[in-house]
C-alpha cells in the first residue's frame, strides 16, 4: 500500500475553504484508490497503538540484491513493458540449506489498456523501476527472533510485474502499438525453472507464500508448485491478505467483480484457472478465492484480517460510490467509524466468515484476526512482542504449528475492537 502520509503532507500550512476541503477530500480518495491498486502494505504507515521501542533497525545483511531472470528472453517471459522479470534470493544455511520459501509480492492488478500502460512505468510493470535491493524481514527475515521457523531457509522474494497475479497469457496481447506484454504464466514457469537450477530441485521442505495479489497468485499456482517436487518433499502454501470477496459495495455495485472480469478478459487469465471451475461458471468467478480454494489439493494456510483495510477501501467502500467523502474518516482509521459504519464493517466480516466456511471444513489452516491491516506476513506483524495475536499465538507461531503439524491450525478472532494486540493502520497521521 502506498505511503498515504505523503498525500497529507501536501495540505499542511495551507488555509482551505469548506468547499476546497470537500474537493480535496474526494481527490485524496481517488488518488489513494489508484495507488492502492499499484502497491500493497507498507510497514512505514503509522499505527494507532503506541508500542515500546523494539523496532529492529535494518542491517546491511537484511538487504538482498535483485537478480534478473537469466532464461526469461528465451522463454518469452517479460514484464508488462517487455523488460526481464526479477527476484531477490538469499541462500539458506545450516539445517535450512535444503528448504525453500518463496514469497510473491502484491500490488493489485491492471484491468484496462490505460491502467496497464501506466503500470508499466512503475516497478509493478517494469524491472527498470524495481528496487535494486529489497529488505528481507517478517517471513523473509534471517533473524530467528523475527522468524523462528524459516529464518535459515533459502528465501526468494518474487517481484510482481505482470499485473494479473502471474496468470496472463500472450494470446491476449494487442498488436496495435500498445507494447504491452501479458506473460504472467510464462514468468511463473521461467522462474520455477531457474530456481530449480539453483538447487530448489533438492528441497526437503518448501513453502510458497504471497501477499494480496501475490497471495492470489499463490492460490492459482499452489498445486503447480507442489507438482514440481518429489512426493517425499513437504510442500505447502500460504496466502496472506488475499481472500478477496465478491461483495456489493456500499452503493450496491459489484466493484470487485467488474475488476476481475476485466482482468480475466484483458489478459486471458482463464487459461490459468481451475478447468473444472471454468467449465461450470464465468471464468472471473473462479478468480475469487472462495472458488479457487475448492480445487487446491496442496495444503494451504490463509492469513487475513476480517477488517482488511484494502478490502474496506476498495471492495466495500471504493472511491466512486462515496463522492462526498462520507466514509473518508472511517476508511482512513477504523477508530473514526461511527456505530452505523461499524455495523457495516461487521457485516463484511460476516461475509468473509461465510465465504470461509467451506474452507474451514477441510484440512487447511487459517489465522483470521480483527485488525485494520492488510498483508501481515512480511513485516513486524509476522512475529514479535508487539505482533497481533489470537489465543496468545502470533501469525508466525500459528503458521509454524500448521506447517510442522505441531498443533491447532484454525484461529478466528472475535469482532473488532476486541483484540488489544491489534496493530491497526492509521492513514490520517503524517
Amino acid at each position: 500500500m502506498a505511503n498515504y502520509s505523503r498525500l497529507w503532507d501536501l495540505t499542511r500550512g495551507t488555509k482551505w475553504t469548506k468547499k476546497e476541503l470537500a474537493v480535496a477530500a474526494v481527490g485524496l480518495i481517488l488518488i489513494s484508490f489508484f495507488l492502492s491498486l499499484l502497491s500493497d502494505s507498507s510497514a512505514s504507515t503509522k499505527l494507532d497503538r503506541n508500542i515500546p521501542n523494539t523496532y529492529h533497525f535494518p542491517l546491511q545483511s537484511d538487504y538482498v540484491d535483485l537478480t534478473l531472470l537469466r532464461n526469461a528472453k528465451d522463454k518469452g517471459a517479460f514484464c508488462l513493458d517487455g523488460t526481464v522479470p526479477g527476484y531477490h534470493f538469499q541462500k539458506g544455511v545450516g539445517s535450512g540449506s535444503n528448504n525453500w520459501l518463496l514469497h510473491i509480492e502484491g500490488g493489485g492488478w491492471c484491468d484496462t489498456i490505460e491502467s496497464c500502460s501506466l503500470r508499466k512505468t512503475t516497478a509493478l510493470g517494469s524491472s527498470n523501476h524495481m528496487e535494486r535491493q529489497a529488505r528481507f524481514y517478517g517471513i523473509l527475515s534471517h533473524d530467528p527472533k523475527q522468524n523462528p521457523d524459516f529464518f535459515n531457509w533459502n528465501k526468494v522474494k518474487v517481484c510482481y510485474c505482470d499485473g494479473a497475479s502471474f496468470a496472463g497469457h500472450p494470446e491476449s496481447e494487442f498488436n496495435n502499438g500498445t507494447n504491452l506484454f501479458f506473460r504472467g504464466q510464462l514468468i511463473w514457469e521461467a522462474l520455477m525453472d531457474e530456481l530449480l537450477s539453483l538447487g530448489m530441485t533438492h528441497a526437503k521442505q518448501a513453502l510458497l507464500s504471497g501477499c494480496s495479489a501475490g497471495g492470489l497468485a499463490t492460490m492459482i499456482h499452489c498445486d503447480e508448485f507442489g507438482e514440481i517436487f518429489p512426493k517425499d518433499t513437504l510442500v505447502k502454501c500460504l496466502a496472506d491478505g488475499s481472500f478477496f470477496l465478491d461483495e456489493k459495495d456500499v452503493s450496491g455495485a459489484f466493484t470487485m467483480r467488474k475488476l476481475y472480469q476485466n482482468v480475466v478478459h484483458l489478459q486471458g487469465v482463464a487459461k490459468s484457472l481451475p478447468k473444472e471451475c471454468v467449465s461450470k461458471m464465468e471464468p472471473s468467478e473462479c478468480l475469487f478465492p472462495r472458488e479457487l480454494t475448492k480445487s487446491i489439493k496442496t495444503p494451504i494456510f490463509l492469513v487475513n484480517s476480517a477488517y482488511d483495510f484494502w478490502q474496506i477501501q476498495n471492495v466495500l467502500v471504493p472511491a466512486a460510490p462515496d463522492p462526498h467523502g462520507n466514509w473518508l474518516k472511517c476508511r482512513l482509521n477504523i477508530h473514526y467509524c461511527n456505530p452505523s459504519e461499524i455495523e457495516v464493517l461487521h457485516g463484511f466480516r460476516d461475509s468473509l466468515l461465510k465465504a470461509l466456511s467451506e474452507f474451514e471444513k477441510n484440512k487447511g489452516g487459517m489465522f483470521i484476526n480483527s485488525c485494520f491491516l492488510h498483508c501481515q506476513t512480511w513485516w513486524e506483524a509476522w512475529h514479535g512482542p508487539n505482533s497481533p495475536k489470537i489465543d496468545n499465538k502470533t501469525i508466525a507461531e500459528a503458521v509454524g504449528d500448521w506447517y510442522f503439524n505441531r498443533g491447532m491450525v484454525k484461529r478466528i478472532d472475535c469482532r473488532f475492537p476486541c483484540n488489544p494486540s491489534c496493530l491497526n493502520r492509521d492513514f490520517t497521521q503524517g
Side-chain angles (χ1 to χ4, degrees), residues 25-146:
V26 175
L28 284 171
I29 294 173
L30 294 173
I31 293 171
S32 65
F33 172 74
F34 174 73
L35 290 175
S36 71
L37 292 178
L38 289 183
S39 64
D40 285 292
S41 180
S42 168
S44 64
T45 303
K46 298 291 184 179
L47 302 170
D48 72 350
R49 176 161 70 88
N50 291 323
I51 59 176
N53 186 15
T54 57
Y55 177 74
H56 171 71
F57 288 95
L59 305 173
Q60 186 57 42
S61 58
D62 293 335
Y63 290 89
V64 180
D65 291 337
L66 175 69
T67 299
L68 298 181
L69 271 175
R70 294 171 299 183
N71 59 354
K73 290 184 178 179
D74 293 338
K75 296 181 179 296
F78 301 114
C79 297
L80 282 170
D81 71 335
T83 54
V84 174
Y87 61 93
H88 301 263
F89 172 48
Q90 186 176 68
K91 192 171 179 58
V93 297
S95 61
S97 58
N98 286 324
N99 300 328
W100 287 72
L101 186 151
L102 279 60
H103 185 77
I104 307 174
E105 70 175 356
W109 309 267
C110 59
D111 66 329
T112 64
I113 293 297
E114 293 74 21
S115 61
C116 289
S117 295
L118 182 58
R119 189 184 181 96
K120 75 176 186 178
T121 65
T122 74
L124 292 169
S126 171
S127 59
N128 287 338
H129 302 285
M130 291 176 182
E131 55 186 357
R132 270 30 213 177
Q133 287 190 321
R135 185 184 172 196
F136 273 30
Y137 59 146
I139 196 172
L140 293 173
S141 175
H142 63 83
D143 184 348
K145 293 181 181 179
Q146 292 185 45

Side-chain angles (χ1 to χ4, degrees), residues 245 303-309 311-312 316 334 344-353 356 367-373 376 412-416:
L245 298 182
V303 175
N304 228 89
S305 169
Y307 301 85
D308 183 308
F309 70 70
Q311 293 209 60
I312 289 173
L316 182 62
I334 194 169
V344 174
L345 300 190
H346 287 336
F348 195 74
R349 172 185 182 269
D350 293 342
S351 294
L352 174 67
L353 297 184
L356 284 167
F367 188 99
I368 311 298
N369 62 22
S370 296
C371 308
F372 192 58
L373 291 174
Q376 302 179 66
I412 299 177
D413 211 352
C414 46
R415 299 202 312 177
F416 176 87

Side-chain angles (χ1 to χ4, degrees), residues 408-419:
M408 180 179 175
V409 296
K410 292 182 175 67
R411 298 182 184 275
I412 299 177
D413 211 352
C414 46
R415 299 202 312 177
F416 176 87
C418 68
N419 191 338

Side-chain angles (χ1 to χ4, degrees), residues 16-29 323-325 328:
W16 300 79
T17 65
K18 290 183 178 180
K19 182 177 181 180
E20 288 172 331
L21 282 171
V23 172
V26 175
L28 284 171
I29 294 173
H324 301 295
L328 178 60

